[in-house]
Amino acid sequence: MDDIVKQALAKWPNVPDCYGWLGLDARGRWYLRDDATQAVGGFAHSRGALLQHDKLIAFIERNYEADARGQWFFQNGPQRVYVELEITPWIWRVQATDFAVTSHTGRKAVVHECLVDAQGLVYLGTDIGLGLVHTQDVGLVAQALEAGQWIARDVTAASLPATYGYVLRPQAASAAVSDGPPDSLGSAAA
């Protein structure tokens, strides 16, 4: 986390959390979701404006974390901006030379497992969590499998949030907590 963010947290510790304003798609792209976009529906129905400012994206990615409930957020100074996830909290890029894995935020990870769902989407469980392999790198995963680097196993996509402890829609999970316990992490429909 950036030092300036830590200083802001210390100075203003009680700033309310923000929900619905930021989304992460299956290709590792960030979207700003204003009031009008949110009124249309969740991230699956209404993405918002694609962020393209490199310095803003870098700031978000340096300050991207999860809370104890598996809700991912961007710490924007003293305010937590919870992220709507299209599919997983990490989007992996795979290197052709050695099959090394890096997240959409540039963070390196060690692969522990390779998973494939019924739609053919490929996920990697790593030392920092579960993520979807970027569509451009699925061929590299096939090469890694052929080389014996990983062994793929089938998985049900709908089970991933609960199994791996992440929340797709923090706002829905937060509302469910205030109304009663959620049926499972990330299970709220968009």
Side-chain angles (χ1 to χ4, degrees), residues 121-184:
L121 296 177
V122 180
Y123 308 85
L124 298 175
T126 74
D127 61 328
I128 62 171
L130 183 81
L132 177 72
V133 173
H134 193 286
T135 55
Q136 292 179 332
D137 295 346
V138 172
L140 293 171
V141 172
Q143 291 175 24
L145 293 170
E146 288 173 5
Q149 183 86 12
W150 306 317
I151 297 172
R153 71 175 173 87
D154 292 335
V155 69
T156 304
S159 71
L160 294 175
T163 301
Y164 291 89
Y166 63 91
V167 177
L168 294 172
R169 295 193 57 224
Q171 185 168 16
S174 177
V177 167
S178 61
D179 295 338
D183 52 352
S184 70

Side-chain angles (χ1 to χ4, degrees), residues 65 79 94 109:
E65 299 180 10
Q79 185 173 53
V94 180

Side-chain angles (χ1 to χ4, degrees), residues 4 6 21 42 50 57 71 75 83 85 87-88 101 172:
I4 195 167
K6 291 176 188 175
W21 283 82
L50 177 65
I57 293 168
Q71 299 176 117
Q75 190 69 48
V83 178
L85 302 173
I87 194 159
T88 61
V101 174

Side-chain angles (χ1 to χ4, degrees), residues 10-187:
K11 189 171 183 179
W12 299 289
N14 298 317
V15 174
D17 296 335
C18 178
Y19 292 91
W21 283 82
L22 189 62
L24 177 68
D25 78 359
R27 296 178 64 85
R29 296 177 297 202
W30 299 99
Y31 288 82
L32 183 61
R33 305 182 69 246
D34 62 14
D35 283 331
T37 301
Q38 291 179 53
V40 174
F43 187 58
H45 302 295
S46 181
R47 291 197 189 275
L50 177 65
L51 292 180
Q52 297 181 1
H53 190 279
D54 291 338
K55 288 185 179 182
L56 175 57
I57 293 168
F59 181 64
I60 291 170
E61 291 177 347
R62 284 192 314 271
N63 297 286
Y64 178 62
E65 299 180 10
D67 67 14
R69 293 182 37 138
Q71 299 176 117
W72 286 81
F73 63 90
F74 152 54
Q75 190 69 48
N76 183 25
Q79 185 173 53
R80 280 190 177 178
V81 179
Y82 281 93
V83 178
E84 299 272 322
L85 302 173
E86 180 177 1
I87 194 159
T88 61
W90 299 110
I91 307 302
W92 303 124
R93 299 308 310 252
V94 180
Q95 300 301 309
T97 53
D98 60 0
F99 307 120
V101 174
T102 306
S103 75
H104 66 283
T105 65
R107 194 165 167 191
K108 293 181 182 188
V110 177
V111 176
H112 296 302
E113 61 184 333
C114 179
L115 310 166
V116 180
D117 72 13
Q119 294 180 17
L121 296 177
V122 180
Y123 308 85
L124 298 175
T126 74
D127 61 328
I128 62 171
L130 183 81
L132 177 72
V133 173
H134 193 286
T135 55
Q136 292 179 332
D137 295 346
V138 172
L140 293 171
V141 172
Q143 291 175 24
L145 293 170
E146 288 173 5
Q149 183 86 12
W150 306 317
I151 297 172
R153 71 175 173 87
D154 292 335
V155 69
T156 304
S159 71
L160 294 175
T163 301
Y164 291 89
Y166 63 91
V167 177
L168 294 172
R169 295 193 57 224
Q171 185 168 16
S174 177
V177 167
S178 61
D179 295 338
D183 52 352
S184 70
L185 291 177
S187 65

